[in-house]
Amino acid sequence: MDATASQKPRQGFAGLWNISFGFFGIQIGFALQNANMSRVFQTLGSSIDDLPALWVAAPLTGLIVQPIIGHMSDRTWNRLGRRRPYFLTGAIFAALSLFLMPLSPAFGAPLLFAAAMLWMLDASLNVSMEPFRAFVGDMLRTDQHSAGYAVQTAFIGAGAVVGSIFPWFLQQLGVSNVAADGGLPDTVKWSFWGGAIALFAAVLWTIVTTREYSPEQMASFGGHTLEETGQPVRALAAKTYLSSSLWIAAGLGVIVLVQSLELQKEMLLLGALLGVYGLLSAIAISMAKQGKSTNMLSSIVGDFAGMPEVMKRLALVQFFSWSALFIMWINTTPVVTQYVFGSTDTASAAYNEGANWVNVLFTVYNGVAAVSALALLPILSRKVGQVMTHSICLTLGALGFLMFFFVRDAQSLLLAEIGIGIAWASILAMPYAILASNLPQAKLGIYMGLFNIFIVVPQLLVATVMGQIMLWLFPGEPIWTMLFAAGSWIVAALAMQRVKAAIPQENAHA
């Protein structure tokens, strides 16, 4: 960084609050989705084996949307600013999706309509969410990154608490929690409608109360310009087509295996994604060789191929961290209703009581995350560093998943959620604080978007491969997924120890 560069103004608590308050609303949307979509799909007629395929919308939309939005937001500047236009657009469509989702049973193909609304909801949430990650880095000086992402994590936890507790809270107020076979209970309907209003209002708050730094101001703070960070595209022009060919071959190989071994058809998506990436990378290399260095595709592929070392090492941690989270979001409702409340009948009172208890469990882990982000993570990271803090938190979360595997008492599972909540807080804060302090500021949007690949790829693998594994080894026994989740977080905790060598000493502590 230029030694003569000026410093960004230090933000007080009100500034930190306003910068991240919109994430409170976004997370209400994610929480309603995570805690209720398996319930919605099962109620509309989906079998338990079909749930991963229906949930594939969430990671797939993130995989496509976030790098594109990151690339675009780095290059946007209009009356609303750099990131805020995307906050607003995503919030509008996410609120619309939440409003329409409970109306699914009224359509001729209710399960198909619900799946379509999930795609629209998740894509819209990603449009809003990705720029929020970069927004913290844009608005805060380096020594406030940990505090900024901690406040954002607290809002994520608080928003998830509100979103998760909606159905249970409405039931306590006397709203009906059961419906005729194939219909959604009023608790679910009103939760989605209330969530739509809250999401839009929270994002609008951040838009109204914040003012982004202009490109000229960002340059004065010592950030690299986009022209100065064009090396990845130039490096792309020097590459051969070998890696692209290997990706395409891998994709075709998966498709052939699915057909020859009669594997689940959802795995065709995995093969298609591998092949498509290989094709797109070949096109990007060709365009770079022709000197077309300013196109979006070459920029995204070039930045992906030329990721900084710290990002590469964190990628492995993210892969295993989010594998476990997606397993949890898909399978907690089937596990709790089947093993703790003893019912798989979606029209029964026992099933719906168990499904509401899942909302309570999700509320607890998100509440713990909100508190941990402000009270535990800053203290722990000052004492042992960001790397060790993240490893410790992931290990505590793994112990929580092990409790789901062994415990059959609903109340005791609240203890499991404490460990999971601490890990969730760290997953949302530590990797992003490390990245924001060690990446070029001018390309923070695209790098945050690309980092999301290592969140969504494991989710796609869970949605495609996990279903086949469970069908082979443990048909009709979703409890075993919790053991997979525990193992994933243990691996992530160990992989985190490789990150420290890639972080400059001055940024190693919060």
Side-chain angles (χ1 to χ4, degrees):
M1 182 179 290
D2 186 353
T4 64
S6 60
Q7 284 269 19
K8 295 175 186 175
R10 188 173 186 84
Q11 295 283 349
F13 182 76
L16 295 175
W17 175 288
N18 293 336
I19 287 168
S20 289
F21 186 72
F23 228 125
F24 172 73
I26 292 171
Q27 199 59 34
I28 288 176
F30 272 120
L32 286 168
Q33 169 186 299
N34 294 339
N36 293 285
M37 285 314 300
S38 287
R39 178 183 190 177
V40 170
F41 287 146
Q42 284 187 290
T43 300
L44 296 178
S46 170
S47 72
I48 189 171
D49 293 328
D50 291 331
L51 287 180
L54 291 168
W55 270 88
V56 78
L60 185 58
T61 51
L63 182 65
I64 296 169
V65 169
Q66 290 217 22
I68 293 174
I69 296 300
H71 174 88
M72 292 173 62
S73 69
D74 280 341
R75 290 160 171 77
T76 295
W77 184 260
N78 59 31
R79 291 177 61 186
L80 273 179
R82 188 185 191 191
R83 315 291 184 187
R84 291 182 300 170
Y86 300 94
F87 300 168
L88 181 60
T89 302
I92 291 171
F93 284 98
L96 181 62
S97 304
L98 286 170
F99 180 79
L100 292 175
M101 184 76 74
L103 304 179
S104 298
F107 288 81
L111 189 58
L112 180 61
F113 183 83
M117 286 300 98
L118 176 59
W119 279 71
M120 180 174 167
L121 173 62
D122 205 270
S124 303
L125 290 172
N126 275 287
V127 168
S128 285
M129 181 183 73
E130 196 287 329
F132 260 106
R133 295 293 193 194
F135 191 53
V136 174
D138 290 344
M139 300 297 293
L140 300 180
R141 44 200 285 173
T142 301
D143 62 358
Q144 284 197 294
H145 283 163
S146 289
Y149 285 105
V151 171
Q152 188 174 92
T153 298
F155 276 128
I156 291 172
V161 166
V162 173
S164 297
I165 203 67
F166 256 139
W168 178 87
F169 179 71
L170 290 174
Q171 183 184 14
Q172 307 313 304
L173 296 179
V175 179
S176 175
N177 190 48
V178 294
D181 193 18
L184 297 176
D186 287 344
T187 51
V188 174
K189 292 178 182 178
W190 286 103
S191 294
F192 275 78
W193 293 335
I197 296 171
L199 185 155
F200 185 76
V203 172
L204 192 62
W205 177 277
T206 288
I207 292 172
V208 171
T209 60
T210 59
R211 182 180 180 87
E212 297 187 67
Y213 298 120
S214 69
E216 293 75 21
Q217 288 175 306
M218 291 296 289
S220 75
F221 296 142
H224 299 288
T225 65
L226 288 168
E227 289 73 18
E228 291 170 334
T229 54
Q231 179 58 34
V233 178
R234 292 191 289 272
L236 189 65
K239 291 175 65 69
T240 68
Y241 294 98
L242 177 60
S243 61
S244 301
S245 301
L246 292 175
W247 283 111
I248 294 172
L252 292 174
V254 171
I255 292 172
V256 170
L257 284 175
V258 171
Q259 298 293 341
S260 60
L261 299 180
E262 298 183 351
L263 304 178
Q264 285 190 305
K265 299 303 181 185
E266 291 86 354
M267 293 185 66
L268 290 172
L269 175 63
L270 179 61
L273 287 172
L274 293 173
V276 168
Y277 175 74
L279 179 61
L280 291 177
S281 67
I283 295 172
I285 291 171
S286 176
M287 296 177 75
K289 287 180 180 294
Q290 297 171 39
K292 300 176 181 178
S293 60
T294 58
N295 67 88
M296 181 187 298
L297 181 59
S298 293
S299 295
I300 292 175
V301 174
D303 286 327
F304 181 71
M307 288 185 298
E309 184 63 26
V310 64
M311 189 169 163
K312 292 178 182 178
R313 298 192 181 201
L314 278 170
L316 184 64
V317 178
Q318 290 294 88
F319 180 91
F320 287 102
S321 298
W322 285 83
S323 294
L325 288 167
F326 204 59
I327 289 171
M328 177 183 72
W329 290 329
I330 293 177
N331 293 287
T332 300
T333 294
V335 167
V336 171
T337 54
Q338 180 175 336
Y339 294 91
V340 180
F341 286 81
S343 177
T344 57
D345 179 7
T346 59
S348 69
Y351 175 91
N352 283 284
E353 185 181 355
N356 267 11
W357 188 248
V358 171
N359 282 284
V360 174
L361 294 176
F362 280 19
T363 299
V364 171
Y365 92 74
N366 283 298
V368 169
V371 174
S372 298
L374 297 178
L376 176 63
L377 296 185
I379 296 173
L380 195 57
S381 61
R382 280 196 298 271
K383 289 184 176 296
V384 300
Q386 292 170 329
V387 170
M388 185 57 69
T389 293
H390 199 36
S391 290
I392 292 171
C393 293
L394 287 168
T395 302
L396 292 174
L399 294 176
F401 282 130
L402 285 176
M403 284 192 65
F404 270 88
F405 188 75
F406 291 108
V407 172
R408 297 294 179 269
D409 176 67
Q411 297 291 332
S412 298
L413 290 179
L414 294 172
L415 182 61
E417 296 297 341
I418 294 175
I420 292 172
I422 292 172
W424 176 230
S426 190
I427 289 169
L428 293 173
M430 290 296 109
Y432 296 100
I434 292 171
L435 285 178
S437 299
N438 292 280
L439 295 177
Q441 291 294 300
K443 304 187 79 170
L444 205 51
I446 180 59
Y447 278 133
M448 289 294 186
L450 290 172
F451 194 56
N452 187 63
I453 290 174
F454 304 103
I455 293 174
V456 300
V457 167
Q459 295 179 52
L460 285 169
L461 288 175
V462 169
T464 55
V465 178
M466 178 63 75
Q468 183 67 60
I469 292 174
M470 293 301 296
L471 195 62
W472 276 342
L473 301 178
F474 312 108
E477 296 291 342
I479 189 66
W480 289 91
T481 61
M482 294 299 164
L483 201 57
F484 282 102
S488 291
W489 271 359
I490 290 295
V491 173
L494 294 173
M496 190 65 194
Q497 294 303 305
R498 296 181 61 252
V499 176
K500 190 172 185 179
I503 304 175
Q505 187 61 37
E506 63 267 23
N507 292 333
H509 292 269

Coordinates of all heavy atoms in Angstrom, one line a residue, residues 370-380:
A370 N -25.0 -15.1 17.3 CA -25.1 -13.7 17.5 C -24.3 -13.2 18.7 O -23.6 -12.2 18.7 CB -26.5 -13.2 17.6
V371 N -24.5 -13.9 19.8 CA -23.8 -13.6 21.1 C -22.3 -13.8 21.0 O -21.4 -13.0 21.4 CB -24.4 -14.3 22.3 CG1 -23.6 -14.1 23.5 CG2 -25.8 -13.9 22.5
S372 N -21.9 -15.0 20.4 CA -20.5 -15.4 20.3 C -19.7 -14.4 19.4 O -18.6 -14.1 19.7 CB -20.4 -16.8 19.7 OG -21.0 -17.7 20.5
A373 N -20.4 -13.9 18.4 CA -19.7 -13.0 17.4 C -19.2 -11.7 18.2 O -18.1 -11.2 17.8 CB -20.6 -12.6 16.3
L374 N -20.0 -11.3 19.1 CA -19.6 -10.0 19.8 C -18.8 -10.3 21.2 O -18.0 -9.5 21.6 CB -20.8 -9.2 20.1 CG -21.6 -8.7 18.9 CD1 -22.8 -7.9 19.3 CD2 -20.7 -7.8 18.0
A375 N -19.2 -11.4 21.8 CA -18.6 -11.7 23.2 C -17.5 -12.7 23.2 O -16.6 -12.6 24.1 CB -19.7 -12.2 24.1
L376 N -17.5 -13.6 22.3 CA -16.4 -14.7 22.4 C -15.3 -14.6 21.3 O -14.2 -14.6 21.7 CB -17.1 -16.1 22.2 CG -16.2 -17.3 22.2 CD1 -15.4 -17.4 23.5 CD2 -17.0 -18.6 21.9
L377 N -15.7 -14.4 20.1 CA -14.7 -14.4 19.0 C -13.7 -13.3 19.2 O -12.5 -13.6 19.0 CB -15.4 -14.2 17.6 CG -16.3 -15.4 17.2 CD1 -16.8 -15.2 15.8 CD2 -15.6 -16.7 17.3
P378 N -14.0 -12.0 19.5 CA -13.0 -11.0 19.6 C -12.0 -11.3 20.7 O -10.8 -11.1 20.6 CB -13.8 -9.7 20.0 CG -15.2 -10.0 19.4 CD -15.4 -11.4 19.6
I379 N -12.5 -11.8 21.9 CA -11.6 -12.2 23.0 C -10.7 -13.3 22.6 O -9.5 -13.3 22.8 CB -12.4 -12.5 24.2 CG1 -13.2 -11.3 24.7 CG2 -11.5 -13.0 25.3 CD1 -14.2 -11.6 25.8
L380 N -11.3 -14.4 22.0 CA -10.5 -15.6 21.7 C -9.5 -15.3 20.6 O -8.3 -15.7 20.7 CB -11.5 -16.7 21.2 CG -10.9 -18.1 21.1 CD1 -10.4 -18.5 22.5 CD2 -12.0 -19.1 20.6

